[in-house]
Amino acid sequence: MLVQRECMDSITFKSDTVLSDVHMYTPNIRHLMVRLNAVGQPEHTMDTTLEDVGKQVWRGAFLLADYIWNNSYLFRDCTVLELGAGTGMTSIVMATVAKTIYCTDVGEDLLNMCERNIIVNKHIYEAAGSEIKVRELDWLRDDLCTDTKNPYCWSEEEIAHMYDHTDVLLAADVFYDDDLTDAFFQTIYRILSNLKNPSTIYLSVEKRLNFTLRKMDVTCDAYDHFRLCLADLENICDGRTKFIVEPIKSSFPQFLSYERVEQLELWKIIAEPFKSNAQQ
Ligand SMILES: C[S@@+](CC[C@H](N)C(=O)[O-])C[C@H]1O[C@@H](n2cnc3c(N)ncnc32)[C@H](O)[C@@H]1O
């Protein structure tokens, strides 16, 4: 533990960079600061600006990956849409069981890195005969990008396939900014309203507690906002979709190496067609 702390102490983080807690207990931390691929491009970095947080792997991605491995029967042959996929790690694990995975995030640079990770890790999932498609899905836009100048654009066939077949949605550690959280929930509501089949959404979140002078208490505003959005979703009465929100106990076995702190949570949202009294 002392050695690890010494490692951390020898690194200077700028005030505008963020560090995934996954790396906190990593030996030889300096060597992992930037891992370069064969052509000298980073595939995963140790600290990034907030804008580039997707280039690190976050603990929530490992928790979700562990859940998938422990409950593979839930995902067999499914069509899955991952939002805010970052490095693509959770989509790669999902591809060991599901059939088609739309692995999405925003920004060409990040999506290039994600695509490279999916290619170099193909051996992990290729026996399953599944397919991962890296596509741009920006929560701040109302539509899916179909501009063919963007290498990660959607074809009309893919959009139709995604809406006709998706039955699982995933997002790991994407709740750290209230405006983005609002945009995320608006996006999943819009997507769910267009899906042909009932679906289940799995979300991991980490409650990062901080003492604030403003509140004179230890709180996590971003987590509180996430819980409000969950409650709002459950209270939607649009006459079409019923949302059932449930926490998932994190007591399932851990295969991957990370600290499963109690602030790390997994949530499930079941979206099913609303049945009126006459239909029941
Ligand atoms: C903390 S990272 C989590 C990455 C990955 N899921 C993980 O857990 O390792 C948050 C992710 O949300 C993505 N994101 C942020 N704003 C977004 C937006 N407007 N549309 C889509 N993705 C966005 C980031 O690019 C980043 O990949």
Side-chain angles (χ1 to χ4, degrees):
M1 178 69 87
L2 184 64
V3 174
Q4 287 153 355
R5 180 162 285 282
E6 278 170 7
C7 283
M8 284 302 300
D9 288 348
S10 64
I11 290 166
T12 309
F13 291 103
K14 296 188 217 93
S15 60
D16 61 347
T17 61
V18 287
L19 169 71
S20 161
D21 316 75
V22 169
H23 307 110
M24 286 296 196
Y25 302 99
T26 310
N28 300 324
I29 205 163
R30 181 171 286 282
H31 299 183
L32 287 167
M33 286 294 282
V34 177
R35 183 183 298 156
L36 300 178
N37 70 7
V39 285
Q41 293 160 321
E43 281 163 5
H44 160 257
T45 61
M46 279 289 296
D47 74 322
T48 56
T49 59
L50 197 53
E51 204 177 283
D52 270 342
V53 284
K55 292 179 182 173
Q56 303 184 52
V57 184
W58 297 81
R59 242 176 340 214
F62 287 120
L63 183 72
L64 205 44
D66 265 341
Y67 182 77
I68 295 163
W69 266 324
N70 278 285
N71 298 277
S72 52
Y73 68 95
L74 292 174
F75 307 108
R76 207 157 301 287
D77 293 329
C78 284
T79 297
V80 178
L81 175 67
E82 182 175 8
L83 294 96
T87 61
M89 201 278 283
T90 309
S91 281
I92 292 167
V93 171
M94 183 55 100
T96 62
V97 279
K99 188 173 178 189
T100 306
I101 297 97
Y102 290 100
C103 172
T104 73
D105 209 297
V106 69
E108 196 170 325
D109 192 32
L110 177 62
L111 292 169
N112 282 340
M113 170 196 270
C114 180
E115 178 111 300
R116 280 197 303 273
N117 284 334
I118 284 164
I119 292 166
V120 297
N121 288 293
K122 197 163 192 262
H123 60 282
I124 296 174
Y125 66 89
E126 67 183 344
S130 53
E131 182 182 26
I132 307 178
K133 290 180 177 227
V134 178
R135 294 290 174 268
E136 179 147 295
L137 196 166
D138 183 351
W139 317 328
L140 299 173
R141 282 181 58 155
D142 290 342
D143 56 349
L144 296 172
C145 173
T146 51
D147 178 354
T148 49
K149 284 194 224 78
N150 181 334
Y152 300 102
C153 70
W154 297 71
S155 68
E156 294 300 338
E157 292 74 29
E158 284 166 350
I159 294 176
H161 178 272
M162 188 272 283
Y163 284 134
D164 285 353
H165 294 90
T166 296
D167 37 16
V168 173
L169 287 86
L170 302 176
D173 205 338
V174 296
F175 309 108
Y176 49 90
D177 172 285
D178 293 355
D179 291 338
L180 280 180
T181 300
D182 289 341
F184 173 88
F185 274 93
Q186 280 156 15
T187 301
I188 56 164
Y189 178 68
R190 199 171 47 245
I191 291 172
L192 293 172
S193 307
N194 285 302
L195 292 187
K196 213 166 168 183
N197 299 313
S199 56
T200 310
I201 302 111
Y202 296 89
L203 306 174
S204 68
V205 61
E206 185 161 346
K207 197 195 288 186
R208 297 189 175 88
L209 295 165
N210 276 312
F211 178 82
T212 59
L213 280 176
R214 185 167 54 87
K215 295 202 172 157
M216 289 303 282
D217 201 0
V218 177
T219 58
C220 179
D221 289 351
Y223 175 81
D224 295 343
H225 191 74
F226 163 73
R227 292 295 302 271
L228 279 178
C229 291
L230 277 184
D232 285 349
L233 190 66
E234 204 166 27
N235 288 330
I236 287 178
C237 296
D238 61 6
R240 286 177 296 155
T241 311
K242 186 174 159 201
F243 300 98
I244 303 157
V245 176
E246 294 170 2
I248 296 177
K249 282 206 180 92
S250 306
S251 48
F252 45 88
Q254 182 169 344
F255 297 130
L256 295 162
S257 178
Y258 59 102
E259 203 187 356
R260 197 180 282 180
V261 293
E262 68 178 81
Q263 293 82 6
L264 197 54
E265 296 181 359
L266 202 52
W267 289 82
K268 173 163 103 170
I269 304 167
I270 301 162
E272 52 186 34
F274 183 83
K275 289 197 192 97
S276 66
N277 286 342
Q279 288 172 301
Q280 280 170 346

